[in-house]
Amino acid sequence: MDETTSKLAFDTDWQYDPAPESTDHIRIDEQYELFIGGEFVAPKEGRYFDSINPANEKVLARIASAGKDDVDRAVKAARKAYKTSWSKLKPAERGKYIYRIARVLQERAREFAVIESLDGGKPIRESRDIDIPLAAAHFFYYAGWADKLEYAFPGKQVAALGVAGQIIPWNFPLLMAAWKIAPALACGNTVVLKPAETTPLTALKLAEVVRDAGLPPGVVNIITGAGDTGAALVDHPDIDKIAFTGSTAVGRSIQKSLAGTSTKYTLELGGKAANIIFADAAIDEAVEGIVNGIFFNQGHVCCAGSRLLVQESVADEVIRKLKDRMESLIVGDPLDKNTDIGAINSSAQLEKIEDYLRIGQEEGGEIYQSSGTLPDTGYWCRPTLFTGVSQSNRVVQEEIFGPVLTVQTFRTLEEGLDKANNTPYGLSGGVWTDKGAKIFKMTRAIRAGVIWANTFNKFDPASPFGGYKESGMGREGGLHGLDAYLELS
Ligand code: ADP
């Protein structure tokens, strides 16, 4: 690129024309009830909360808040369905129901994508191309396993666990619901799922799909509410398995609650992934991978590549190219197809990110943010880079869950590896190099559940996902995801 074209590419005087996705094909009701025993029922205590569109702070719908009695109702419905219908069905029949859910999701993909972006703030490009297709793919994948479980675990007897309680976060609302529900049903369990309080809408829409797909009542129950609803589900005595994705702090409290009980659990918690660029990497591709790993989806990804480790000899080049690319990222309306970075999920999350921006500067880090205007209402954060930070800084050690990247350098492979592993987390990592041998060396030595080489944030239902250390325990996806919902003997 010569100087003139480079200037043109990053000149902020011109902008893309707006390309908004239409909303005339979706239906969001004013109020949503709890989905228990195959029907929508009002919460016993009559409490409701609002789900807000984080891009304009407007209320999208009133959502029922499940109290202890509602949680009990949902668990009882799931137990009854487990005993009387789901466990009695032939596995191939269970598979047919799960395929049906997958097909309906595909048919209604556009509607689900728009609602996901409205409720959670993520760019329509992400929800349309990643969240919804992957959610359908998970149902397809696990539907296929329903009648082949003995082939998945040769020589073993397989049996369902019973009733699974499932608690999910707000960053991939429908996809996390699919990760949890699809393998549980395929293995013959029934479920009570609680979506996050800021993003309940696509899970409630999924409840409609479950109902329309004709699943026996009570096989899937969806209850909404905040942390106390989640805690009541964890504490319920008739749950056989808890599957949780969320913060390490809540994961720890769940572990404490379940200590000494026979309830099985899997926990998928926080992360602070290193994305490591060696000098021999294809730098332009690596820069794009770094941007994809932390800035797209507002950094609301537990496996986000939030720590960049770059080999010293190419650090200046990488940082310069990163800054250029950050300048070209479009922050704004999640429903606009040109948008790269949507709205931060909630005001509380924006406050947390802003706290870290302050802390990083107080610790001596040098902050760089893209320029450009942000919308007047809604919750927004510019893509942010911290240079001049060290291993002990909080912004390097703690999960921020926003579009904030720290940059450190290294000289030797060993130094890069030490820095990559020097965190309490171990969910994911990335390596960028031209040399296959280096990839193998690094991927074997990085203590993380998923490591990408010369790419980042790629998912497939057949591939297991989960963490080391404080990033959790157990795996979801692939055969490992079946194991988590079965008793093997
Ligand atoms: P995040 O920081 O990503 O919001 P949380 O761990 O707070 O993560 O939330 C993830 C999910 O866990 C949400 O559905 C939330 O309502 C639920 N949750 C929060 N507190 C508890 C708790 N004490 N017990 C069970 N679930 C909880």
Side-chain angles (χ1 to χ4, degrees), residues 166-171 194-198 225-235 242 244-251 253-254 257 269 345-346 349 352 399 401:
Q166 308 180 315
I167 300 168
I168 57 173
W170 44 258
N171 58 341
K194 191 198 88 63
E197 52 274 39
T198 57
D228 50 346
T229 308
L233 188 56
V234 171
D235 292 338
I242 288 289
F244 171 79
T245 300
S247 62
T248 297
V250 173
S253 87
I254 290 178
S257 308
L269 309 175
N345 184 264
S346 64
Q349 186 57 28
K352 183 181 158 198
E399 187 180 46
F401 229 66

Side-chain angles (χ1 to χ4, degrees), residues 125 199 422:
R125 227 172 46 207
T199 53
N422 186 354

Side-chain angles (χ1 to χ4, degrees), residues 71-109:
V71 171
D72 186 51
R73 265 201 294 177
V75 174
K76 285 200 169 108
R79 177 64 62 196
K80 186 170 166 212
Y82 177 69
K83 280 194 186 147
T84 59
S85 61
W86 203 237
S87 64
K88 299 259 184 331
L89 274 184
K90 283 201 182 119
E93 294 301 311
R94 287 202 309 262
K96 281 189 201 165
Y97 282 114
I98 306 169
Y99 275 124
R100 205 177 288 165
I101 296 174
R103 281 198 304 271
V104 179
L105 272 183
Q106 266 188 335
E107 280 161 22
R108 293 174 57 178

